[in-house]
Amino acid sequence: MTAQPARGFNHGDQTQMGANNHPTVTPANHRLTERQVAERIGREYHETEYDGEVPAEVEEAAKLLKKMNDYLYDAIFAYGVEVIFTSDDPYGSYEEMVADIEANDRLFVFNGGTHPDHISKVDNLKNRAVHDFWGHYKNDVDFTFWGEFQKWHHMKRWYPEPVHRLTLQEVVGQTGLCWYLEGGFSSPDFKQKSFLAPTEWADLCYRHFPGKLPL
């Protein structure tokens, strides 16, 4: 048995029981908050069954991811920025990272934490550097949930379509899990899983994102 994504939900009208057990309906044009979207996705991530066996479709997507990341990682150095791995969480905010890159031509990347089964630790660290530089820095998006979603949206152009659901799981899904769990990334229940995210997660984010995104 491999990963089984949790059952999706209807992102249109949401029927709930209100006062006196009368059903209430949230209109389809109602906009959820950033936290509501994040925690809903995080709950589904948490409920997804995963037994440690990497599905074949994830392995194939991970190969494509690695191939592009090798190129993008080398391109950071070609851009004139040195990547330095550190056991300390390097930045307290997105603004600190930007200031360090622009003042010192360097990018610190955290080398601790957990790593998913579908990618090696070395390749996962490259993945972090690529996402911080080409995703966050070059698109000027922060480390909030919406910032992570924007990063995923912007970086889709770098990867072939089969990779999109994997990076959606890694970027949006894991950030949602962090928001959902008490303790965030430090929670003992925070576990990276190997599965392709349901496309409904992207639909939910696009529907409720409060700004405009370039095509």
Short mmCIF file of all heavy atoms in Angstrom, two decimals, residues 29-64:
data_model
loop_
_atom_site.label_atom_id
_atom_site.label_comp_id
_atom_site.label_asym_id
_atom_site.label_seq_id
_atom_site.Cartn_x
_atom_site.Cartn_y
_atom_site.Cartn_z
N ASN A 29 -18.84 32.30 -3.64
CA ASN A 29 -17.96 33.46 -3.80
C ASN A 29 -17.40 33.95 -2.47
O ASN A 29 -16.75 34.98 -2.41
CB ASN A 29 -18.70 34.59 -4.52
CG ASN A 29 -19.91 35.09 -3.72
OD1 ASN A 29 -20.25 34.52 -2.69
ND2 ASN A 29 -20.54 36.15 -4.21
N HIS A 30 -17.66 33.23 -1.40
CA HIS A 30 -17.11 33.59 -0.09
C HIS A 30 -15.61 33.29 -0.08
O HIS A 30 -15.19 32.22 -0.50
CB HIS A 30 -17.80 32.80 1.01
CG HIS A 30 -17.17 32.96 2.36
ND1 HIS A 30 -17.30 34.11 3.10
CD2 HIS A 30 -16.40 32.11 3.10
CE1 HIS A 30 -16.63 33.97 4.24
NE2 HIS A 30 -16.09 32.77 4.27
N ARG A 31 -14.81 34.24 0.38
CA ARG A 31 -13.36 34.05 0.38
C ARG A 31 -12.88 33.59 1.76
O ARG A 31 -13.12 34.27 2.76
CB ARG A 31 -12.65 35.34 -0.01
CG ARG A 31 -11.12 35.24 0.01
CD ARG A 31 -10.49 36.40 -0.70
NE ARG A 31 -10.63 36.25 -2.14
CZ ARG A 31 -10.42 37.23 -3.02
NH1 ARG A 31 -10.08 38.43 -2.60
NH2 ARG A 31 -10.56 37.02 -4.31
N LEU A 32 -12.23 32.45 1.80
CA LEU A 32 -11.66 31.95 3.04
C LEU A 32 -10.40 32.74 3.37
O LEU A 32 -9.73 33.28 2.49
CB LEU A 32 -11.32 30.47 2.91
CG LEU A 32 -12.47 29.51 2.62
CD1 LEU A 32 -11.94 28.08 2.49
CD2 LEU A 32 -13.54 29.58 3.71
N THR A 33 -10.05 32.78 4.65
CA THR A 33 -8.83 33.46 5.07
C THR A 33 -7.62 32.58 4.77
O THR A 33 -7.75 31.38 4.49
CB THR A 33 -8.86 33.75 6.57
OG1 THR A 33 -8.83 32.51 7.30
CG2 THR A 33 -10.10 34.54 6.96
N GLU A 34 -6.46 33.19 4.84
CA GLU A 34 -5.22 32.45 4.63
C GLU A 34 -5.13 31.27 5.60
O GLU A 34 -4.78 30.15 5.20
CB GLU A 34 -4.03 33.39 4.83
CG GLU A 34 -2.67 32.73 4.67
CD GLU A 34 -1.53 33.70 4.91
OE1 GLU A 34 -1.67 34.58 5.79
OE2 GLU A 34 -0.50 33.58 4.23
N ARG A 35 -5.43 31.50 6.86
CA ARG A 35 -5.35 30.43 7.85
C ARG A 35 -6.36 29.32 7.57
O ARG A 35 -6.05 28.14 7.72
CB ARG A 35 -5.54 30.97 9.27
CG ARG A 35 -5.50 29.88 10.35
CD ARG A 35 -5.23 30.42 11.73
NE ARG A 35 -3.88 30.95 11.83
CZ ARG A 35 -2.80 30.20 12.01
NH1 ARG A 35 -2.90 28.88 12.11
NH2 ARG A 35 -1.62 30.75 12.11
N GLN A 36 -7.56 29.67 7.16
CA GLN A 36 -8.56 28.65 6.87
C GLN A 36 -8.12 27.75 5.72
O GLN A 36 -8.27 26.53 5.78
CB GLN A 36 -9.90 29.32 6.55
CG GLN A 36 -10.61 29.90 7.75
CD GLN A 36 -11.85 30.69 7.37
OE1 GLN A 36 -11.86 31.43 6.38
NE2 GLN A 36 -12.92 30.53 8.14
N VAL A 37 -7.57 28.35 4.67
CA VAL A 37 -7.09 27.56 3.54
C VAL A 37 -5.92 26.69 3.96
O VAL A 37 -5.86 25.49 3.67
CB VAL A 37 -6.69 28.47 2.37
CG1 VAL A 37 -6.06 27.65 1.25
CG2 VAL A 37 -7.89 29.24 1.84
N ALA A 38 -4.96 27.29 4.68
CA ALA A 38 -3.77 26.56 5.11
C ALA A 38 -4.13 25.37 5.99
O ALA A 38 -3.63 24.25 5.79
CB ALA A 38 -2.82 27.50 5.84
N GLU A 39 -4.99 25.60 6.97
CA GLU A 39 -5.32 24.53 7.90
C GLU A 39 -6.17 23.45 7.25
O GLU A 39 -6.08 22.28 7.62
CB GLU A 39 -6.01 25.11 9.13
CG GLU A 39 -5.07 25.94 9.99
CD GLU A 39 -5.69 26.39 11.30
OE1 GLU A 39 -6.93 26.24 11.46
OE2 GLU A 39 -4.94 26.90 12.16
N ARG A 40 -6.99 23.82 6.29
CA ARG A 40 -7.78 22.81 5.58
C ARG A 40 -6.86 21.88 4.79
O ARG A 40 -6.99 20.66 4.82
CB ARG A 40 -8.80 23.48 4.66
CG ARG A 40 -9.74 22.49 3.98
CD ARG A 40 -10.81 23.21 3.18
NE ARG A 40 -11.75 23.92 4.03
CZ ARG A 40 -12.85 24.52 3.57
NH1 ARG A 40 -13.12 24.49 2.26
NH2 ARG A 40 -13.67 25.14 4.39
N ILE A 41 -5.92 22.47 4.07
CA ILE A 41 -4.96 21.66 3.32
C ILE A 41 -4.07 20.87 4.27
O ILE A 41 -3.77 19.69 4.04
CB ILE A 41 -4.12 22.56 2.39
CG1 ILE A 41 -5.00 23.08 1.24
CG2 ILE A 41 -2.91 21.81 1.84
CD1 ILE A 41 -4.32 24.08 0.34
N GLY A 42 -3.65 21.52 5.36
CA GLY A 42 -2.82 20.83 6.34
C GLY A 42 -3.51 19.63 6.96
O GLY A 42 -2.88 18.58 7.18
N ARG A 43 -4.79 19.76 7.23
CA ARG A 43 -5.54 18.63 7.78
C ARG A 43 -5.58 17.47 6.79
O ARG A 43 -5.39 16.31 7.16
CB ARG A 43 -6.96 19.06 8.14
CG ARG A 43 -7.77 17.95 8.82
CD ARG A 43 -9.21 18.33 9.05
NE ARG A 43 -9.97 18.38 7.81
CZ ARG A 43 -10.48 19.49 7.28
NH1 ARG A 43 -10.30 20.65 7.88
NH2 ARG A 43 -11.16 19.45 6.15
N GLU A 44 -5.82 17.78 5.52
CA GLU A 44 -5.86 16.71 4.52
C GLU A 44 -4.49 16.05 4.36
O GLU A 44 -4.39 14.84 4.18
CB GLU A 44 -6.34 17.27 3.18
CG GLU A 44 -7.82 17.57 3.16
CD GLU A 44 -8.42 17.44 1.78
OE1 GLU A 44 -7.66 17.37 0.79
OE2 GLU A 44 -9.66 17.42 1.69
N TYR A 45 -3.43 16.87 4.41
CA TYR A 45 -2.09 16.30 4.35
C TYR A 45 -1.89 15.34 5.52
O TYR A 45 -1.41 14.22 5.36
CB TYR A 45 -1.05 17.42 4.39
CG TYR A 45 0.37 16.98 4.13
CD1 TYR A 45 1.01 17.31 2.93
CD2 TYR A 45 1.10 16.24 5.06
CE1 TYR A 45 2.31 16.90 2.68
CE2 TYR A 45 2.40 15.83 4.81
CZ TYR A 45 3.00 16.17 3.62
OH TYR A 45 4.29 15.76 3.37
N HIS A 46 -2.24 15.79 6.70
CA HIS A 46 -2.06 14.99 7.92
C HIS A 46 -2.84 13.68 7.84
O HIS A 46 -2.38 12.64 8.33
CB HIS A 46 -2.51 15.82 9.12
CG HIS A 46 -2.30 15.15 10.45
ND1 HIS A 46 -1.05 14.76 10.90
CD2 HIS A 46 -3.17 14.80 11.43
CE1 HIS A 46 -1.16 14.21 12.09
NE2 HIS A 46 -2.43 14.22 12.43
N GLU A 47 -4.02 13.71 7.22
CA GLU A 47 -4.88 12.54 7.15
C GLU A 47 -4.53 11.60 6.00
O GLU A 47 -5.08 10.51 5.91
CB GLU A 47 -6.34 12.99 7.03
CG GLU A 47 -6.86 13.68 8.28
CD GLU A 47 -8.25 14.27 8.10
OE1 GLU A 47 -8.75 14.27 6.94
OE2 GLU A 47 -8.84 14.73 9.10
N THR A 48 -3.62 12.02 5.13
CA THR A 48 -3.22 11.17 4.02
C THR A 48 -2.41 9.98 4.54
O THR A 48 -1.44 10.14 5.27
CB THR A 48 -2.37 11.96 3.00
OG1 THR A 48 -3.17 12.98 2.43
CG2 THR A 48 -1.84 11.05 1.90
N GLU A 49 -2.83 8.78 4.17
CA GLU A 49 -2.14 7.57 4.62
C GLU A 49 -0.86 7.37 3.81
O GLU A 49 -0.86 7.51 2.59
CB GLU A 49 -3.06 6.36 4.46
CG GLU A 49 -4.32 6.42 5.32
CD GLU A 49 -5.21 5.21 5.11
OE1 GLU A 49 -4.80 4.31 4.34
OE2 GLU A 49 -6.30 5.17 5.70
N TYR A 50 0.21 7.05 4.52
CA TYR A 50 1.49 6.79 3.85
C TYR A 50 2.25 5.75 4.66
O TYR A 50 2.49 5.94 5.85
CB TYR A 50 2.30 8.09 3.74
CG TYR A 50 3.68 7.88 3.14
CD1 TYR A 50 3.83 7.41 1.83
CD2 TYR A 50 4.82 8.13 3.88
CE1 TYR A 50 5.08 7.21 1.29
CE2 TYR A 50 6.08 7.94 3.34
CZ TYR A 50 6.21 7.48 2.04
OH TYR A 50 7.45 7.27 1.51
N ASP A 51 2.63 4.65 3.99
CA ASP A 51 3.27 3.54 4.70
C ASP A 51 4.77 3.47 4.46
O ASP A 51 5.43 2.50 4.84
CB ASP A 51 2.62 2.22 4.30
CG ASP A 51 2.75 1.92 2.81
OD1 ASP A 51 3.45 2.69 2.10
OD2 ASP A 51 2.17 0.93 2.35
N GLY A 52 5.35 4.51 3.83
CA GLY A 52 6.79 4.53 3.61
C GLY A 52 7.21 4.02 2.25
O GLY A 52 8.39 4.11 1.90
N GLU A 53 6.28 3.48 1.47
CA GLU A 53 6.60 3.00 0.13
C GLU A 53 6.32 4.11 -0.88
O GLU A 53 5.18 4.57 -1.00
CB GLU A 53 5.76 1.76 -0.20
CG GLU A 53 6.06 1.18 -1.58
CD GLU A 53 5.20 -0.04 -1.88
OE1 GLU A 53 4.56 -0.55 -0.94
OE2 GLU A 53 5.18 -0.46 -3.05
N VAL A 54 7.35 4.53 -1.61
CA VAL A 54 7.20 5.64 -2.55
C VAL A 54 6.49 5.15 -3.81
O VAL A 54 6.97 4.23 -4.48
CB VAL A 54 8.57 6.24 -2.92
CG1 VAL A 54 8.40 7.39 -3.91
CG2 VAL A 54 9.30 6.71 -1.66
N PRO A 55 5.36 5.75 -4.17
CA PRO A 55 4.65 5.34 -5.40
C PRO A 55 5.50 5.60 -6.64
O PRO A 55 6.31 6.53 -6.68
CB PRO A 55 3.40 6.23 -5.39
CG PRO A 55 3.24 6.68 -3.97
CD PRO A 55 4.63 6.79 -3.43
N ALA A 56 5.30 4.79 -7.67
CA ALA A 56 6.08 4.92 -8.90
C ALA A 56 5.90 6.29 -9.54
O ALA A 56 6.87 6.87 -10.06
CB ALA A 56 5.66 3.82 -9.89
N GLU A 57 4.70 6.84 -9.49
CA GLU A 57 4.46 8.15 -10.10
C GLU A 57 5.23 9.25 -9.37
O GLU A 57 5.66 10.23 -9.99
CB GLU A 57 2.96 8.47 -10.10
CG GLU A 57 2.33 8.52 -8.72
CD GLU A 57 0.83 8.72 -8.77
OE1 GLU A 57 0.27 8.86 -9.87
OE2 GLU A 57 0.21 8.76 -7.69
N VAL A 58 5.44 9.07 -8.07
CA VAL A 58 6.23 10.05 -7.31
C VAL A 58 7.70 9.91 -7.66
O VAL A 58 8.42 10.91 -7.81
CB VAL A 58 6.01 9.86 -5.79
CG1 VAL A 58 6.93 10.78 -5.00
CG2 VAL A 58 4.56 10.14 -5.43
N GLU A 59 8.18 8.68 -7.81
CA GLU A 59 9.57 8.46 -8.19
C GLU A 59 9.88 9.11 -9.53
O GLU A 59 10.93 9.74 -9.70
CB GLU A 59 9.88 6.96 -8.25
CG GLU A 59 9.91 6.28 -6.89
CD GLU A 59 10.28 4.81 -6.98
OE1 GLU A 59 10.14 4.24 -8.09
OE2 GLU A 59 10.72 4.25 -5.97
N GLU A 60 8.97 8.98 -10.48
CA GLU A 60 9.18 9.57 -11.80
C GLU A 60 9.18 11.09 -11.72
O GLU A 60 10.02 11.76 -12.34
CB GLU A 60 8.10 9.08 -12.77
CG GLU A 60 8.22 7.62 -13.15
CD GLU A 60 9.58 7.29 -13.74
OE1 GLU A 60 10.03 8.03 -14.65
OE2 GLU A 60 10.20 6.31 -13.30
N ALA A 61 8.26 11.65 -10.95
CA ALA A 61 8.21 13.10 -10.79
C ALA A 61 9.47 13.61 -10.10
O ALA A 61 10.01 14.67 -10.45
CB ALA A 61 6.97 13.51 -10.02
N ALA A 62 9.96 12.85 -9.11
CA ALA A 62 11.15 13.26 -8.36
C ALA A 62 12.39 13.26 -9.26
O ALA A 62 13.28 14.11 -9.09
CB ALA A 62 11.36 12.33 -7.17
N LYS A 63 12.46 12.34 -10.21
CA LYS A 63 13.59 12.33 -11.15
C LYS A 63 13.61 13.60 -12.00
O LYS A 63 14.66 14.20 -12.23
CB LYS A 63 13.51 11.09 -12.05
CG LYS A 63 13.79 9.78 -11.35
CD LYS A 63 13.63 8.61 -12.32
CE LYS A 63 13.84 7.28 -11.61
NZ LYS A 63 13.61 6.12 -12.53
N LEU A 64 12.44 14.00 -12.46
CA LEU A 64 12.34 15.23 -13.25
C LEU A 64 12.66 16.46 -12.40
O LEU A 64 13.31 17.40 -12.86
CB LEU A 64 10.94 15.35 -13.84
CG LEU A 64 10.52 14.27 -14.84
CD1 LEU A 64 9.05 14.41 -15.20
CD2 LEU A 64 11.39 14.35 -16.10
#
